[in-house]
PDB file of all heavy atoms in Angstrom:
ATOM      1  N   THR A 339       6.961  -2.541  -4.552  1.00 96.00           N
ATOM      2  CA  THR A 339       7.349  -3.946  -4.509  1.00 96.00           C
ATOM      3  C   THR A 339       6.575  -4.655  -3.408  1.00 96.00           C
ATOM      4  O   THR A 339       6.249  -4.058  -2.378  1.00 96.00           O
ATOM      5  CB  THR A 339       8.873  -4.088  -4.246  1.00 96.00           C
ATOM      6  OG1 THR A 339       9.257  -5.463  -4.276  1.00 96.00           O
ATOM      7  CG2 THR A 339       9.256  -3.501  -2.895  1.00 96.00           C
ATOM      8  N   CYS A 340       6.226  -5.907  -3.642  1.00 91.00           N
ATOM      9  CA  CYS A 340       5.553  -6.719  -2.606  1.00 91.00           C
ATOM     10  C   CYS A 340       5.856  -8.179  -2.898  1.00 91.00           C
ATOM     11  O   CYS A 340       5.183  -8.812  -3.683  1.00 91.00           O
ATOM     12  CB  CYS A 340       4.049  -6.456  -2.564  1.00 91.00           C
ATOM     13  SG  CYS A 340       3.155  -6.759  -4.088  1.00 91.00           S
ATOM     14  N   ALA A 341       6.866  -8.704  -2.265  1.00 77.00           N
ATOM     15  CA  ALA A 341       7.280 -10.066  -2.534  1.00 77.00           C
ATOM     16  C   ALA A 341       6.301 -11.096  -2.003  1.00 77.00           C
ATOM     17  O   ALA A 341       6.277 -12.234  -2.458  1.00 77.00           O
ATOM     18  CB  ALA A 341       8.665 -10.315  -1.939  1.00 77.00           C
ATOM     19  N   ASP A 342       5.475 -10.706  -1.012  1.00 80.00           N
ATOM     20  CA  ASP A 342       4.486 -11.624  -0.475  1.00 80.00           C
ATOM     21  C   ASP A 342       3.277 -10.816  -0.016  1.00 80.00           C
ATOM     22  O   ASP A 342       3.232  -9.603  -0.164  1.00 80.00           O
ATOM     23  CB  ASP A 342       5.064 -12.464   0.668  1.00 80.00           C
ATOM     24  CG  ASP A 342       5.612 -11.603   1.803  1.00 80.00           C
ATOM     25  OD1 ASP A 342       4.936 -10.640   2.212  1.00 80.00           O
ATOM     26  OD2 ASP A 342       6.718 -11.903   2.285  1.00 80.00           O
ATOM     27  N   SER A 343       2.275 -11.495   0.556  1.00 80.00           N
ATOM     28  CA  SER A 343       1.031 -10.829   0.927  1.00 80.00           C
ATOM     29  C   SER A 343       1.149 -10.004   2.195  1.00 80.00           C
ATOM     30  O   SER A 343       0.207  -9.308   2.573  1.00 80.00           O
ATOM     31  CB  SER A 343      -0.071 -11.873   1.110  1.00 80.00           C
ATOM     32  OG  SER A 343       0.255 -12.765   2.167  1.00 80.00           O
ATOM     33  N   ARG A 344       2.277 -10.064   2.885  1.00 80.00           N
ATOM     34  CA  ARG A 344       2.412  -9.379   4.162  1.00 80.00           C
ATOM     35  C   ARG A 344       3.192  -8.079   4.077  1.00 80.00           C
ATOM     36  O   ARG A 344       3.178  -7.298   5.024  1.00 80.00           O
ATOM     37  CB  ARG A 344       3.092 -10.300   5.181  1.00 80.00           C
ATOM     38  CG  ARG A 344       2.376 -11.614   5.424  1.00 80.00           C
ATOM     39  CD  ARG A 344       3.123 -12.476   6.408  1.00 80.00           C
ATOM     40  NE  ARG A 344       4.493 -12.752   5.978  1.00 80.00           N
ATOM     41  CZ  ARG A 344       4.824 -13.707   5.106  1.00 80.00           C
ATOM     42  NH1 ARG A 344       3.885 -14.466   4.570  1.00 80.00           N
ATOM     43  NH2 ARG A 344       6.076 -13.905   4.769  1.00 80.00           N
ATOM     44  N   THR A 345       3.906  -7.865   2.986  1.00 85.00           N
ATOM     45  CA  THR A 345       4.840  -6.752   2.940  1.00 85.00           C
ATOM     46  C   THR A 345       4.707  -5.973   1.638  1.00 85.00           C
ATOM     47  O   THR A 345       4.679  -6.581   0.566  1.00 85.00           O
ATOM     48  CB  THR A 345       6.294  -7.251   3.052  1.00 85.00           C
ATOM     49  OG1 THR A 345       6.405  -8.082   4.198  1.00 85.00           O
ATOM     50  CG2 THR A 345       7.264  -6.102   3.151  1.00 85.00           C
ATOM     51  N   ALA A 346       4.644  -4.670   1.728  1.00 93.00           N
ATOM     52  CA  ALA A 346       4.661  -3.805   0.553  1.00 93.00           C
ATOM     53  C   ALA A 346       5.478  -2.565   0.865  1.00 93.00           C
ATOM     54  O   ALA A 346       5.376  -1.996   1.967  1.00 93.00           O
ATOM     55  CB  ALA A 346       3.240  -3.413   0.149  1.00 93.00           C
ATOM     56  N   TRP A 347       6.308  -2.172  -0.093  1.00 96.00           N
ATOM     57  CA  TRP A 347       7.125  -0.964   0.023  1.00 96.00           C
ATOM     58  C   TRP A 347       6.908  -0.117  -1.228  1.00 96.00           C
ATOM     59  O   TRP A 347       6.634  -0.649  -2.307  1.00 96.00           O
ATOM     60  CB  TRP A 347       8.616  -1.312   0.117  1.00 96.00           C
ATOM     61  CG  TRP A 347       9.021  -2.232   1.229  1.00 96.00           C
ATOM     62  CD1 TRP A 347       9.199  -3.579   1.163  1.00 96.00           C
ATOM     63  CD2 TRP A 347       9.322  -1.863   2.582  1.00 96.00           C
ATOM     64  NE1 TRP A 347       9.580  -4.088   2.378  1.00 96.00           N
ATOM     65  CE2 TRP A 347       9.677  -3.043   3.270  1.00 96.00           C
ATOM     66  CE3 TRP A 347       9.342  -0.641   3.261  1.00 96.00           C
ATOM     67  CZ2 TRP A 347      10.033  -3.046   4.609  1.00 96.00           C
ATOM     68  CZ3 TRP A 347       9.702  -0.645   4.605  1.00 96.00           C
ATOM     69  CH2 TRP A 347      10.045  -1.840   5.269  1.00 96.00           C
ATOM     70  N   ALA A 348       7.094   1.181  -1.081  1.00 96.00           N
ATOM     71  CA  ALA A 348       7.010   2.081  -2.235  1.00 96.00           C
ATOM     72  C   ALA A 348       8.024   3.199  -2.063  1.00 96.00           C
ATOM     73  O   ALA A 348       8.364   3.585  -0.927  1.00 96.00           O
ATOM     74  CB  ALA A 348       5.613   2.654  -2.398  1.00 96.00           C
ATOM     75  N   VAL A 349       8.497   3.726  -3.197  1.00 96.00           N
ATOM     76  CA  VAL A 349       9.436   4.846  -3.205  1.00 96.00           C
ATOM     77  C   VAL A 349       8.803   6.000  -3.970  1.00 96.00           C
ATOM     78  O   VAL A 349       8.126   5.790  -4.973  1.00 96.00           O
ATOM     79  CB  VAL A 349      10.782   4.436  -3.845  1.00 96.00           C
ATOM     80  CG1 VAL A 349      11.630   5.650  -4.193  1.00 96.00           C
ATOM     81  CG2 VAL A 349      11.552   3.510  -2.915  1.00 96.00           C
ATOM     82  N   GLY A 350       9.032   7.205  -3.459  1.00 94.00           N
ATOM     83  CA  GLY A 350       8.470   8.385  -4.104  1.00 94.00           C
ATOM     84  C   GLY A 350       9.484   9.477  -4.298  1.00 94.00           C
ATOM     85  O   GLY A 350      10.667   9.346  -3.939  1.00 94.00           O
ATOM     86  N   ALA A 351       9.008  10.579  -4.858  1.00 90.00           N
ATOM     87  CA  ALA A 351       9.864  11.724  -5.134  1.00 90.00           C
ATOM     88  C   ALA A 351      10.538  12.223  -3.863  1.00 90.00           C
ATOM     89  O   ALA A 351       9.963  12.163  -2.769  1.00 90.00           O
ATOM     90  CB  ALA A 351       9.038  12.847  -5.778  1.00 90.00           C
ATOM     91  N   GLY A 352      11.767  12.715  -4.001  1.00 89.00           N
ATOM     92  CA  GLY A 352      12.477  13.278  -2.862  1.00 89.00           C
ATOM     93  C   GLY A 352      13.000  12.256  -1.882  1.00 89.00           C
ATOM     94  O   GLY A 352      13.301  12.592  -0.736  1.00 89.00           O
ATOM     95  N   GLY A 353      13.125  10.996  -2.305  1.00 92.00           N
ATOM     96  CA  GLY A 353      13.648   9.972  -1.405  1.00 92.00           C
ATOM     97  C   GLY A 353      12.637   9.449  -0.411  1.00 92.00           C
ATOM     98  O   GLY A 353      13.008   8.875   0.618  1.00 92.00           O
ATOM     99  N   LEU A 354      11.344   9.591  -0.724  1.00 94.00           N
ATOM    100  CA  LEU A 354      10.292   9.089   0.153  1.00 94.00           C
ATOM    101  C   LEU A 354      10.266   7.568   0.132  1.00 94.00           C
ATOM    102  O   LEU A 354      10.247   6.951  -0.929  1.00 94.00           O
ATOM    103  CB  LEU A 354       8.945   9.639  -0.304  1.00 94.00           C
ATOM    104  CG  LEU A 354       7.717   9.309   0.552  1.00 94.00           C
ATOM    105  CD1 LEU A 354       7.811   9.996   1.906  1.00 94.00           C
ATOM    106  CD2 LEU A 354       6.445   9.728  -0.186  1.00 94.00           C
ATOM    107  N   LEU A 355      10.255   6.928   1.297  1.00 96.00           N
ATOM    108  CA  LEU A 355      10.185   5.472   1.418  1.00 96.00           C
ATOM    109  C   LEU A 355       8.962   5.135   2.279  1.00 96.00           C
ATOM    110  O   LEU A 355       8.855   5.594   3.419  1.00 96.00           O
ATOM    111  CB  LEU A 355      11.457   4.913   2.052  1.00 96.00           C
ATOM    112  CG  LEU A 355      11.546   3.399   2.223  1.00 96.00           C
ATOM    113  CD1 LEU A 355      11.404   2.677   0.881  1.00 96.00           C
ATOM    114  CD2 LEU A 355      12.883   3.015   2.881  1.00 96.00           C
TER     115      LEU A 355
END
Side-chain angles (χ1 to χ4, degrees):
T339 183
C340 58
D342 57 45
S343 62
R344 302 179 303 278
T345 308
W347 303 96
V349 165
L354 184 67
L355 181 58

